[in-house]
Coordinates of all heavy atoms in Angstrom, one line a residue:
M1 N -34.7 18.4 -38.2 CA -35.9 19.1 -37.7 C -37.1 18.8 -38.6 O -38.2 18.5 -38.1 CB -35.7 20.6 -37.5 CG -35.5 21.0 -36.1 SD -34.6 22.6 -36.1 CE -36.0 23.7 -36.2
A2 N -36.9 19.0 -39.9 CA -38.0 18.7 -40.8 C -38.4 17.3 -40.8 O -39.6 17.0 -40.9 CB -37.5 19.2 -42.2
L3 N -37.4 16.4 -40.7 CA -37.7 15.0 -40.7 C -38.6 14.6 -39.5 O -39.6 13.9 -39.6 CB -36.4 14.1 -40.6 CG -35.5 14.1 -41.8 CD1 -34.2 13.5 -41.5 CD2 -36.2 13.3 -42.9
T4 N -38.3 15.2 -38.3 CA -39.1 14.9 -37.1 C -40.5 15.5 -37.3 O -41.5 14.8 -37.0 CB -38.4 15.5 -35.9 OG1 -37.0 15.3 -35.9 CG2 -39.0 15.0 -34.6
R5 N -40.5 16.7 -37.8 CA -41.8 17.3 -38.0 C -42.7 16.5 -38.9 O -43.9 16.3 -38.7 CB -41.7 18.7 -38.6 CG -43.0 19.5 -38.8 CD -42.8 20.6 -39.8 NE -42.4 20.0 -41.1 CZ -41.9 20.7 -42.1 NH1 -41.8 22.0 -42.0 NH2 -41.6 20.1 -43.3
D6 N -42.1 15.9 -39.9 CA -42.9 15.1 -40.9 C -42.9 13.6 -40.5 O -43.4 12.8 -41.3 CB -42.2 15.3 -42.3 CG -42.3 16.7 -42.8 OD1 -43.2 17.4 -42.3 OD2 -41.5 17.1 -43.7
H7 N -42.4 13.3 -39.4 CA -42.5 11.9 -38.9 C -41.7 10.9 -39.8 O -42.2 9.8 -40.0 CB -43.9 11.4 -38.6 CG -44.7 12.4 -37.8 ND1 -44.5 12.5 -36.4 CD2 -45.6 13.2 -38.1 CE1 -45.3 13.4 -36.0 NE2 -46.0 13.9 -37.0
Y8 N -40.7 11.4 -40.5 CA -39.9 10.6 -41.4 C -40.8 9.9 -42.5 O -40.5 8.8 -43.0 CB -39.1 9.5 -40.7 CG -38.0 10.0 -39.9 CD1 -38.2 10.5 -38.6 CD2 -36.7 10.0 -40.4 CE1 -37.2 11.0 -37.8 CE2 -35.6 10.5 -39.6 CZ -35.9 11.0 -38.3 OH -34.9 11.5 -37.6
L9 N -41.8 10.7 -42.9 CA -42.7 10.2 -44.0 C -42.6 11.1 -45.2 O -42.6 12.3 -45.0 CB -44.1 10.0 -43.5 CG -44.4 9.0 -42.4 CD1 -45.8 9.1 -42.0 CD2 -44.1 7.6 -42.9
C10 N -42.6 10.5 -46.4 CA -42.5 11.3 -47.6 C -43.8 12.2 -47.7 O -44.9 11.6 -47.7 CB -42.4 10.5 -48.8 SG -42.6 11.4 -50.4
Q11 N -43.7 13.5 -47.8 CA -44.8 14.4 -47.8 C -45.5 14.4 -49.1 O -46.7 14.6 -49.2 CB -44.4 15.8 -47.4 CG -43.9 15.9 -46.0 CD -44.9 15.3 -44.9 OE1 -45.9 16.0 -44.7 NE2 -44.6 14.2 -44.4
V12 N -44.8 14.1 -50.2 CA -45.4 14.1 -51.5 C -46.3 12.8 -51.6 O -47.5 12.9 -52.0 CB -44.3 14.0 -52.6 CG1 -45.0 13.9 -54.0 CG2 -43.5 15.3 -52.5
C13 N -45.8 11.7 -51.1 CA -46.6 10.5 -51.1 C -47.8 10.7 -50.1 O -48.9 10.3 -50.5 CB -45.8 9.3 -50.6 SG -44.6 8.7 -51.8
Y14 N -47.5 11.3 -49.0 CA -48.6 11.5 -48.0 C -49.8 12.3 -48.6 O -50.9 11.9 -48.3 CB -48.0 12.2 -46.8 CG -48.9 12.4 -45.6 CD1 -49.2 11.3 -44.8 CD2 -49.5 13.6 -45.3 CE1 -50.0 11.4 -43.7 CE2 -50.3 13.7 -44.3 CZ -50.6 12.6 -43.5 OH -51.4 12.7 -42.4
R15 N -49.5 13.3 -49.4 CA -50.6 14.1 -50.0 C -51.3 13.3 -51.0 O -52.5 13.6 -51.3 CB -49.9 15.3 -50.7 CG -49.6 16.4 -49.7 CD -49.3 17.7 -50.4 NE -48.1 17.7 -51.2 CZ -46.9 18.1 -50.8 NH1 -46.8 18.4 -49.5 NH2 -45.9 18.1 -51.6
Q16 N -50.7 12.2 -51.5 CA -51.4 11.3 -52.4 C -52.0 10.1 -51.7 O -52.4 9.1 -52.4 CB -50.5 10.9 -53.6 CG -50.1 12.0 -54.4 CD -48.8 11.7 -55.3 OE1 -48.4 10.6 -55.4 NE2 -48.3 12.7 -55.9
G17 N -52.0 10.1 -50.4 CA -52.6 9.0 -49.6 C -51.7 7.8 -49.4 O -52.2 6.8 -49.1
R18 N -50.4 8.0 -49.7 CA -49.5 6.9 -49.5 C -48.6 7.2 -48.3 O -48.3 8.3 -48.1 CB -48.7 6.6 -50.8 CG -49.4 6.0 -51.9 CD -48.5 5.8 -53.1 NE -48.2 7.2 -53.7 CZ -47.2 7.4 -54.4 NH1 -46.2 6.5 -54.6 NH2 -47.0 8.7 -54.9
V19 N -48.2 6.1 -47.6 CA -47.3 6.3 -46.5 C -46.0 5.6 -46.9 O -45.8 4.4 -47.0 CB -47.9 5.6 -45.2 CG1 -46.9 5.7 -44.1 CG2 -49.2 6.3 -44.9
T20 N -44.9 6.5 -47.1 CA -43.6 6.0 -47.5 C -42.6 6.6 -46.6 O -42.4 7.8 -46.5 CB -43.3 6.5 -49.0 OG1 -44.4 6.1 -49.8 CG2 -42.0 5.8 -49.4
P21 N -41.9 5.7 -45.8 CA -40.8 6.2 -45.0 C -39.7 6.9 -45.8 O -39.4 6.4 -46.9 CB -40.3 5.0 -44.3 CG -41.3 3.9 -44.5 CD -42.0 4.3 -45.8
A22 N -39.1 8.0 -45.3 CA -38.1 8.7 -46.1 C -37.2 9.4 -45.1 O -37.5 9.7 -44.0 CB -38.8 9.7 -47.0
R23 N -35.9 9.6 -45.6 CA -34.9 10.2 -44.8 C -34.2 11.4 -45.5 O -33.2 11.9 -45.1 CB -33.8 9.2 -44.4 CG -34.3 8.2 -43.3 CD -33.2 7.3 -42.9 NE -33.5 6.7 -41.6 CZ -33.2 7.2 -40.5 NH1 -32.6 8.4 -40.4 NH2 -33.6 6.6 -39.3
T24 N -34.8 11.8 -46.6 CA -34.2 12.9 -47.4 C -35.1 14.1 -47.2 O -36.3 14.0 -47.1 CB -34.2 12.5 -48.9 OG1 -33.5 11.3 -49.0 CG2 -33.5 13.6 -49.7
V25 N -34.4 15.3 -47.1 CA -35.2 16.5 -47.0 C -35.0 17.3 -48.3 O -33.9 17.5 -48.8 CB -34.7 17.3 -45.8 CG1 -35.4 18.7 -45.7 CG2 -34.9 16.6 -44.5
H26 N -36.1 17.8 -48.8 CA -36.1 18.5 -50.1 C -36.4 20.0 -49.9 O -37.3 20.3 -49.1 CB -37.1 17.8 -51.0 CG -37.4 18.6 -52.3 ND1 -36.5 18.8 -53.3 CD2 -38.5 19.3 -52.6 CE1 -37.1 19.5 -54.2 NE2 -38.3 19.8 -53.9
H27 N -35.7 20.8 -50.6 CA -36.0 22.2 -50.5 C -37.1 22.5 -51.5 O -36.9 22.3 -52.7 CB -34.8 23.1 -50.9 CG -33.7 23.0 -49.9 ND1 -32.7 22.1 -49.9 CD2 -33.5 23.8 -48.8 CE1 -31.9 22.3 -48.8 NE2 -32.4 23.4 -48.1
I28 N -38.3 23.0 -51.1 CA -39.4 23.2 -51.9 C -39.0 24.3 -53.0 O -39.2 24.1 -54.1 CB -40.7 23.6 -51.1 CG1 -41.0 22.4 -50.2 CG2 -41.8 23.9 -52.0 CD1 -42.0 22.8 -49.1
V29 N -38.5 25.4 -52.5 CA -38.0 26.4 -53.4 C -36.5 26.1 -53.4 O -35.8 26.1 -52.4 CB -38.2 27.9 -52.8 CG1 -37.5 28.9 -53.7 CG2 -39.7 28.1 -52.7
H30 N -36.0 25.8 -54.6 CA -34.6 25.4 -54.7 C -33.7 26.5 -54.2 O -33.9 27.7 -54.5 CB -34.3 25.0 -56.2 CG -34.9 23.7 -56.5 ND1 -34.7 23.1 -57.8 CD2 -35.7 22.9 -55.8 CE1 -35.4 22.0 -57.8 NE2 -36.0 21.8 -56.6
I31 N -32.6 26.1 -53.6 CA -31.7 27.0 -53.0 C -31.1 28.0 -54.0 O -30.9 29.2 -53.7 CB -30.5 26.2 -52.3 CG1 -31.1 25.2 -51.3 CG2 -29.6 27.2 -51.5 CD1 -30.0 24.2 -50.8
K32 N -30.9 27.5 -55.2 CA -30.3 28.4 -56.2 C -31.3 29.5 -56.6 O -30.9 30.5 -57.1 CB -29.9 27.6 -57.4 CG -31.0 26.9 -58.2 CD -30.4 26.4 -59.5 CE -31.2 25.3 -60.1 NZ -32.6 25.6 -60.4
D33 N -32.6 29.3 -56.3 CA -33.5 30.3 -56.6 C -33.7 31.3 -55.5 O -34.0 32.5 -55.7 CB -34.9 29.7 -56.9 CG -34.9 28.9 -58.1 OD1 -34.1 29.2 -59.0 OD2 -35.7 27.9 -58.2
D34 N -33.5 30.9 -54.2 CA -33.6 31.8 -53.1 C -32.8 31.3 -52.0 O -33.1 30.4 -51.2 CB -35.1 31.8 -52.6 CG -35.3 32.9 -51.6 OD1 -34.3 33.5 -51.1 OD2 -36.5 33.3 -51.4
W35 N -31.5 31.8 -52.0 CA -30.6 31.3 -51.0 C -31.0 31.5 -49.5 O -30.7 30.8 -48.6 CB -29.2 32.0 -51.3 CG -28.1 31.7 -50.4 CD1 -27.5 32.5 -49.5 CD2 -27.4 30.4 -50.3 NE1 -26.5 31.8 -48.8 CE2 -26.4 30.5 -49.3 CE3 -27.6 29.2 -50.9 CZ2 -25.6 29.4 -49.0 CZ3 -26.8 28.1 -50.6 CH2 -25.8 28.2 -49.6
D36 N -31.8 32.5 -49.3 CA -32.2 32.9 -47.9 C -33.2 31.8 -47.4 O -33.3 31.7 -46.2 CB -33.0 34.2 -47.9 CG -32.0 35.3 -48.1 OD1 -30.8 35.2 -47.8 OD2 -32.5 36.4 -48.6
K37 N -33.8 31.0 -48.3 CA -34.7 30.0 -47.8 C -34.0 28.7 -47.4 O -34.7 27.7 -47.0 CB -35.7 29.7 -48.9 CG -36.8 30.8 -49.0 CD -38.0 30.2 -49.7 CE -39.1 31.2 -50.0 NZ -39.6 32.0 -48.8
R38 N -32.7 28.6 -47.5 CA -32.0 27.3 -47.3 C -32.2 26.7 -45.9 O -32.1 25.5 -45.8 CB -30.5 27.4 -47.7 CG -29.7 28.2 -46.7 CD -28.3 28.5 -47.2 NE -27.5 29.2 -46.3 CZ -27.6 30.5 -46.0 NH1 -28.6 31.2 -46.5 NH2 -26.8 31.0 -45.1
L39 N -32.4 27.5 -44.9 CA -32.6 27.0 -43.6 C -34.0 27.3 -43.1 O -34.3 27.1 -41.9 CB -31.6 27.6 -42.6 CG -30.1 27.2 -42.9 CD1 -29.2 27.9 -42.0 CD2 -30.0 25.7 -42.7
D40 N -34.9 27.7 -43.9 CA -36.3 28.0 -43.6 C -37.1 26.6 -43.5 O -37.2 25.9 -44.5 CB -36.9 28.9 -44.6 CG -38.3 29.3 -44.2 OD1 -38.9 28.7 -43.3 OD2 -38.8 30.3 -44.8
L41 N -37.5 26.3 -42.3 CA -38.2 25.0 -42.1 C -39.4 24.8 -42.9 O -39.7 23.8 -43.4 CB -38.5 24.8 -40.6 CG -38.8 23.4 -40.1 CD1 -37.7 22.5 -40.4 CD2 -39.1 23.4 -38.6
D42 N -40.1 26.0 -43.2 CA -41.3 25.9 -44.1 C -40.9 25.5 -45.5 O -41.8 25.1 -46.3 CB -42.0 27.2 -44.1 CG -42.7 27.5 -42.7 OD1 -42.9 26.5 -42.0 OD2 -42.9 28.7 -42.4
N43 N -39.7 25.7 -45.8 CA -39.3 25.4 -47.2 C -38.7 24.0 -47.3 O -38.3 23.6 -48.4 CB -38.2 26.4 -47.6 CG -37.9 26.3 -49.1 OD1 -38.8 26.2 -49.9 ND2 -36.6 26.4 -49.5
L44 N -38.8 23.2 -46.3 CA -38.2 21.9 -46.3 C -39.3 20.9 -46.1 O -40.3 21.1 -45.4 CB -37.2 21.7 -45.1 CG -36.0 22.6 -45.1 CD1 -35.2 22.4 -43.8 CD2 -35.1 22.3 -46.3
E45 N -39.2 19.8 -46.9 CA -40.2 18.7 -46.6 C -39.5 17.4 -46.8 O -38.6 17.2 -47.6 CB -41.4 18.8 -47.5 CG -41.2 18.6 -49.0 CD -42.5 18.7 -49.8 OE1 -43.5 19.0 -49.2 OE2 -42.4 18.6 -51.0
T46 N -39.9 16.4 -46.1 CA -39.4 15.0 -46.2 C -39.9 14.4 -47.5 O -41.0 14.6 -47.8 CB -39.8 14.2 -45.0 OG1 -39.5 14.9 -43.8 CG2 -39.1 12.9 -44.9
I47 N -39.0 13.8 -48.2 CA -39.3 13.2 -49.5 C -38.6 11.9 -49.7 O -37.4 11.7 -49.2 CB -39.0 14.3 -50.6 CG1 -39.7 13.9 -51.9 CG2 -37.5 14.4 -50.8 CD1 -39.7 15.1 -52.9
C48 N -39.2 11.0 -50.3 CA -38.6 9.7 -50.6 C -37.8 9.8 -51.9 O -38.0 10.8 -52.7 CB -39.6 8.5 -50.7 SG -40.7 8.6 -52.2
L49 N -36.9 8.8 -52.2 CA -36.1 8.9 -53.4 C -36.8 9.0 -54.7 O -36.5 9.8 -55.5 CB -35.2 7.7 -53.4 CG -33.9 7.8 -54.2 CD1 -33.0 8.8 -53.7 CD2 -33.2 6.4 -54.3
E50 N -37.9 8.3 -54.8 CA -38.7 8.2 -56.0 C -39.3 9.6 -56.3 O -39.2 10.1 -57.4 CB -39.7 7.2 -55.9 CG -40.3 6.8 -57.3 CD -41.5 5.9 -57.1 OE1 -41.5 5.1 -56.2 OE2 -42.5 6.0 -57.9
C51 N -39.9 10.2 -55.3 CA -40.5 11.5 -55.5 C -39.4 12.6 -55.7 O -39.6 13.5 -56.5 CB -41.3 11.9 -54.3 SG -42.8 10.9 -54.1
H52 N -38.3 12.4 -55.0 CA -37.3 13.4 -55.2 C -36.7 13.4 -56.6 O -36.5 14.5 -57.1 CB -36.1 13.1 -54.2 CG -35.3 14.3 -53.8 ND1 -34.1 14.2 -53.2 CD2 -35.5 15.6 -54.1 CE1 -33.6 15.5 -53.1 NE2 -34.4 16.3 -53.6
N53 N -36.6 12.3 -57.2 CA -36.2 12.2 -58.6 C -37.2 13.0 -59.5 O -36.8 13.6 -60.5 CB -36.0 10.8 -59.0 CG -34.8 10.1 -58.5 OD1 -33.9 10.8 -58.0 ND2 -34.7 8.8 -58.4
K54 N -38.4 12.9 -59.2 CA -39.4 13.6 -60.0 C -39.3 15.1 -59.8 O -39.7 15.8 -60.7 CB -40.8 13.1 -59.6 CG -41.2 11.7 -60.1 CD -42.5 11.3 -59.6 CE -42.8 9.8 -59.8 NZ -43.9 9.3 -59.0
E55 N -38.9 15.5 -58.6 CA -38.8 16.9 -58.3 C -37.6 17.5 -59.0 O -37.5 18.7 -59.2 CB -38.7 17.2 -56.8 CG -39.9 16.8 -56.0 CD -41.1 17.7 -56.2 OE1 -40.8 18.9 -56.5 OE2 -42.2 17.3 -56.0
H56 N -36.6 16.6 -59.4 CA -35.4 17.1 -60.0 C -35.2 16.4 -61.4 O -34.3 15.6 -61.5 CB -34.2 16.9 -59.1 CG -34.3 17.6 -57.8 ND1 -33.9 18.9 -57.8 CD2 -34.6 17.2 -56.6 CE1 -34.1 19.3 -56.5 NE2 -34.5 18.3 -55.8
P57 N -36.1 16.6 -62.3 CA -35.9 15.9 -63.6 C -34.6 16.3 -64.3 O -34.2 15.5 -65.2 CB -37.1 16.4 -64.4 CG -37.6 17.7 -63.8 CD -37.2 17.6 -62.3
E58 N -34.0 17.4 -64.0 CA -32.8 17.8 -64.6 C -31.6 16.9 -64.2 O -30.5 17.0 -64.8 CB -32.5 19.3 -64.3 CG -31.9 19.5 -62.9 CD -33.1 19.6 -61.8 OE1 -34.2 19.3 -62.2 OE2 -32.8 19.9 -60.7
K59 N -31.8 16.1 -63.2 CA -30.7 15.3 -62.6 C -30.3 14.1 -63.6 O -29.2 13.6 -63.5 CB -31.1 14.7 -61.3 CG -30.7 15.6 -60.1 CD -30.9 14.9 -58.8 CE -30.4 15.8 -57.7 NZ -30.8 15.3 -56.4
G60 N -31.2 13.7 -64.5 CA -30.7 12.7 -65.3 C -31.8 12.3 -66.4 O -33.0 12.3 -66.1
A61 N -31.4 12.0 -67.6 CA -32.4 11.7 -68.6 C -33.1 10.4 -68.4 O -34.2 10.2 -68.9 CB -31.6 11.6 -70.0
K62 N -32.5 9.5 -67.5 CA -33.1 8.3 -67.3 C -34.5 8.4 -66.6 O -35.2 7.5 -66.5 CB -32.2 7.3 -66.5 CG -31.9 7.7 -65.1 CD -31.1 6.6 -64.5 CE -30.3 6.9 -63.2 NZ -30.7 7.6 -62.1
N63 N -34.7 9.6 -66.0 CA -35.9 9.8 -65.3 C -37.0 10.4 -66.2 O -38.1 10.6 -65.8 CB -35.7 10.8 -64.2 CG -34.9 10.2 -63.0 OD1 -35.0 9.0 -62.8 ND2 -34.1 11.0 -62.4
K64 N -36.7 10.6 -67.5 CA -37.6 11.2 -68.4 C -39.0 10.5 -68.4 O -40.0 11.2 -68.4 CB -37.0 11.2 -69.8 CG -36.7 12.7 -70.3 CD -36.1 12.6 -71.7 CE -35.8 14.0 -72.1 NZ -35.0 14.0 -73.4
G65 N -38.9 9.2 -68.6 CA -40.2 8.5 -68.7 C -41.0 8.7 -67.4 O -42.2 8.8 -67.5
Q66 N -40.4 8.6 -66.3 CA -41.0 8.8 -65.0 C -41.7 10.2 -64.9 O -42.9 10.3 -64.5 CB -40.0 8.8 -63.9 CG -40.3 7.7 -62.8 CD -39.2 7.7 -61.8 OE1 -38.5 8.7 -61.6 NE2 -39.0 6.6 -61.2
V67 N -41.0 11.2 -65.4 CA -41.5 12.5 -65.3 C -42.8 12.7 -66.2 O -43.8 13.2 -65.9 CB -40.5 13.6 -65.7 CG1 -41.1 15.0 -65.9 CG2 -39.3 13.6 -64.7
L68 N -42.6 12.0 -67.4 CA -43.7 12.1 -68.4 C -45.0 11.4 -67.8 O -46.1 11.9 -67.9 CB -43.3 11.4 -69.7 CG -44.2 11.7 -70.9 CD1 -44.1 13.1 -71.3 CD2 -43.8 10.8 -72.0
R69 N -44.8 10.3 -67.1 CA -45.9 9.5 -66.5 C -46.5 10.4 -65.4 O -47.7 10.5 -65.3 CB -45.4 8.2 -65.9 CG -46.0 7.0 -66.5 CD -45.8 5.7 -65.7 NE -44.7 5.6 -64.8 CZ -43.5 5.1 -65.1 NH1 -43.2 4.7 -66.3 NH2 -42.6 5.0 -64.2
H70 N -45.6 11.1 -64.7 CA -46.1 12.0 -63.6 C -47.0 13.1 -64.2 O -48.0 13.4 -63.7 CB -44.9 12.6 -62.9 CG -45.2 13.3 -61.6 ND1 -45.8 12.6 -60.6 CD2 -45.0 14.5 -61.3 CE1 -46.0 13.5 -59.6 NE2 -45.5 14.7 -60.0
Y71 N -46.5 13.6 -65.3 CA -47.3 14.7 -66.0 C -48.6 14.2 -66.4 O -49.6 14.9 -66.2 CB -46.5 15.3 -67.1 CG -47.3 16.2 -68.0 CD1 -47.5 17.5 -67.5 CD2 -47.8 15.8 -69.2 CE1 -48.3 18.4 -68.3 CE2 -48.6 16.7 -69.9 CZ -48.8 18.0 -69.5 OH -49.6 18.8 -70.2
K72 N -48.6 13.0 -67.0 CA -49.9 12.5 -67.5 C -50.9 12.2 -66.4 O -52.1 12.5 -66.5 CB -49.6 11.2 -68.3 CG -49.2 11.4 -69.7 CD -48.9 10.1 -70.4 CE -48.4 10.3 -71.8 NZ -47.8 9.1 -72.4
Q73 N -50.3 11.8 -65.3 CA -51.2 11.5 -64.1 C -51.8 12.8 -63.6 O -53.0 12.9 -63.4 CB -50.3 11.0 -63.0 CG -50.6 9.5 -62.7 CD -49.5 9.0 -61.8 OE1 -48.9 9.7 -61.0 NE2 -49.1 7.7 -61.9
R74 N -51.0 13.9 -63.6 CA -51.5 15.2 -63.1 C -52.6 15.6 -64.1 O -53.6 16.2 -63.7 CB -50.4 16.2 -63.1 CG -49.8 16.3 -61.7 CD -49.4 17.7 -61.4 NE -48.3 18.1 -62.3 CZ -47.0 18.3 -61.9 NH1 -46.8 18.2 -60.6 NH2 -46.1 18.7 -62.7
H75 N -52.3 15.5 -65.4 CA -53.2 15.9 -66.4 C -54.6 15.2 -66.3 O -55.6 15.8 -66.4 CB -52.6 15.6 -67.8 CG -53.2 16.4 -68.9 ND1 -53.1 17.8 -68.9 CD2 -54.0 16.1 -69.9 CE1 -53.7 18.3 -70.0 NE2 -54.3 17.3 -70.6
R76 N -54.5 13.9 -66.0 CA -55.7 13.1 -65.8 C -56.5 13.6 -64.6 O -57.7 13.7 -64.6 CB -55.4 11.7 -65.7 CG -56.4 10.7 -66.2 CD -55.9 9.4 -66.5 NE -55.1 8.8 -65.6 CZ -53.9 8.2 -65.9 NH1 -53.6 8.0 -67.1 NH2 -53.1 7.7 -65.0
N77 N -55.8 14.0 -63.6 CA -56.4 14.5 -62.4 C -57.2 15.8 -62.7 O -58.3 16.1 -62.2 CB -55.4 14.8 -61.3 CG -54.9 13.5 -60.7 OD1 -55.5 12.5 -60.8 ND2 -53.8 13.6 -59.9
D78 N -56.6 16.6 -63.6 CA -57.2 17.9 -64.0 C -58.5 17.6 -64.7 O -59.5 18.2 -64.5 CB -56.3 18.7 -65.0 CG -55.1 19.3 -64.2 OD1 -55.2 19.3 -63.0 OD2 -54.1 19.7 -64.9
I79 N -58.5 16.6 -65.6 CA -59.7 16.3 -66.3 C -60.8 15.9 -65.4 O -61.9 16.3 -65.4 CB -59.4 15.1 -67.3 CG1 -58.5 15.5 -68.4 CG2 -60.7 14.6 -68.0 CD1 -57.9 14.4 -69.3
F80 N -60.4 15.0 -64.4 CA -61.3 14.5 -63.4 C -62.0 15.7 -62.7 O -63.2 15.7 -62.5 CB -60.5 13.6 -62.4 CG -61.4 12.8 -61.6 CD1 -62.1 11.7 -62.2 CD2 -61.6 13.0 -60.2 CE1 -62.9 11.0 -61.4 CE2 -62.4 12.3 -59.5 CZ -63.1 11.2 -60.0
K81 N -61.2 16.7 -62.3 CA -61.6 17.8 -61.6 C -62.7 18.6 -62.4 O -63.7 19.0 -61.9 CB -60.5 18.8 -61.2 CG -60.3 19.0 -59.7 CD -59.2 20.0 -59.4 CE -57.8 19.3 -59.6 NZ -56.7 20.3 -59.5
F82 N -62.4 18.8 -63.7 CA -63.2 19.6 -64.5 C -64.6 18.9 -64.8 O -65.5 19.6 -65.1 CB -62.6 19.9 -65.9 CG -61.5 21.0 -65.8 CD1 -60.2 20.7 -66.1 CD2 -61.9 22.2 -65.4 CE1 -59.3 21.8 -66.0 CE2 -61.0 23.3 -65.3 CZ -59.7 23.0 -65.6
K83 N -64.7 17.6 -64.5 CA -65.9 16.9 -64.7 C -67.0 17.4 -63.8 O -68.2 17.2 -64.0 CB -65.8 15.4 -64.6 CG -65.3 14.7 -65.8 CD -65.3 13.2 -65.6 CE -64.9 12.5 -66.9 NZ -64.7 11.1 -66.7
G84 N -66.5 18.1 -62.7 CA -67.4 18.6 -61.7 C -68.3 19.8 -62.2 O -69.4 20.0 -61.7
N85 N -67.9 20.5 -63.3 CA -68.7 21.6 -63.7 C -69.5 21.2 -65.0 O -69.4 20.1 -65.5 CB -67.9 22.9 -63.9 CG -66.7 22.6 -64.9 OD1 -66.9 21.9 -65.9 ND2 -65.6 23.2 -64.6
D86 N -70.2 22.2 -65.5 CA -71.1 21.8 -66.6 C -70.5 22.0 -68.0 O -71.2 22.0 -69.0 CB -72.4 22.8 -66.5 CG -73.2 22.4 -65.3 OD1 -73.2 21.3 -64.9 OD2 -73.8 23.3 -64.7
D87 N -69.2 22.2 -68.1 CA -68.6 22.4 -69.4 C -68.7 21.1 -70.2 O -68.8 20.0 -69.7 CB -67.1 22.6 -69.2 CG -66.8 24.0 -68.7 OD1 -67.8 24.8 -68.7 OD2 -65.7 24.3 -68.2
D88 N -68.8 21.3 -71.5 CA -68.9 20.2 -72.4 C -67.6 19.3 -72.3 O -66.5 19.7 -72.5 CB -69.0 20.7 -73.9 CG -69.1 19.6 -74.9 OD1 -69.1 18.4 -74.5 OD2 -69.4 19.9 -76.1
P89 N -67.8 18.0 -71.9 CA -66.6 17.2 -71.7 C -65.8 16.9 -73.0 O -64.7 16.6 -72.9 CB -67.2 15.9 -71.1 CG -68.6 15.9 -71.4 CD -69.0 17.4 -71.5
M90 N -66.5 17.1 -74.1 CA -65.8 16.9 -75.4 C -64.6 18.0 -75.6 O -63.8 17.8 -76.4 CB -66.8 17.1 -76.6 CG -67.8 15.9 -76.6 SD -67.0 14.3 -76.6 CE -66.3 14.2 -78.3
L91 N -64.7 19.0 -74.9 CA -63.6 20.0 -74.9 C -62.3 19.5 -74.5 O -61.3 19.9 -74.9 CB -64.0 21.2 -74.0 CG -65.0 22.2 -74.6 CD1 -65.3 23.2 -73.5 CD2 -64.4 23.0 -75.8
F92 N -62.4 18.4 -73.7 CA -61.1 17.9 -73.2 C -60.8 16.6 -73.9 O -60.1 15.8 -73.6 CB -61.2 17.6 -71.7 CG -61.6 18.9 -70.9 CD1 -62.9 19.1 -70.6 CD2 -60.6 19.8 -70.6 CE1 -63.2 20.3 -69.9 CE2 -61.0 21.0 -70.0 CZ -62.3 21.2 -69.6
Ligands
LIG101 ZN1 -42.7 9.9 -52.1
LIG102 ZN1 -34.6 18.4 -53.7

């Protein structure tokens, strides 16, 4: 159901403006954190393998570099956002 709703496209990539076909469904809130959400459609999103690995860094140390890159990317986005206000850019 989630796959059909998301048109078999990775929603993480989609939010970043990329179109990636995917066939995996990811629980946004992990089942171990909230068992009641395991069948909640709002808690499911279609995700590609690459993004899924980033969502589960605990799955293997070989993903460490990937996660770090991901974090740096996000951090850079934050800097970009803050440029919009009048704060001294040297603070960052
Ligand atoms: Zn993706
Ligand atoms: Zn997952």
Side-chain angles (χ1 to χ4, degrees):
M1 257 157 83
L3 289 169
T4 314
R5 182 202 58 193
D6 296 337
H7 309 286
Y8 289 83
L9 295 175
C10 171
Q11 297 302 291
V12 177
C13 286
Y14 187 74
R15 283 196 289 272
Q16 294 164 9
R18 283 177 292 154
V19 176
T20 309
R23 286 184 161 272
T24 306
V25 175
H26 168 69
H27 291 89
I28 299 166
V29 175
H30 287 181
I31 307 168
K32 65 171 158 57
D33 294 332
D34 191 346
W35 180 245
D36 290 335
K37 282 200 187 305
R38 72 195 182 283
L39 291 175
D40 187 344
L41 196 58
D42 290 337
N43 189 42
L44 300 172
E45 68 179 1
T46 307
I47 195 165
C48 70
L49 197 64
E50 196 187 325
C51 291
H52 203 193
N53 285 339
K54 286 178 193 165
E55 296 285 338
H56 296 280
E58 75 279 6
K59 271 187 176 173
K62 68 172 163 45
N63 291 326
K64 244 181 185 169
Q66 234 179 27
V67 172
L68 196 67
R69 241 192 344 264
H70 191 60
Y71 170 76
K72 278 178 182 166
Q73 251 166 30
R74 265 215 294 251
H75 201 65
R76 211 158 42 223
N77 286 346
D78 288 345
I79 295 168
F80 197 70
K81 239 183 283 171
F82 280 120
K83 274 186 177 173
N85 58 38
D86 293 329
D87 289 343
D88 183 355
M90 291 309 285
L91 282 172
F92 304 99

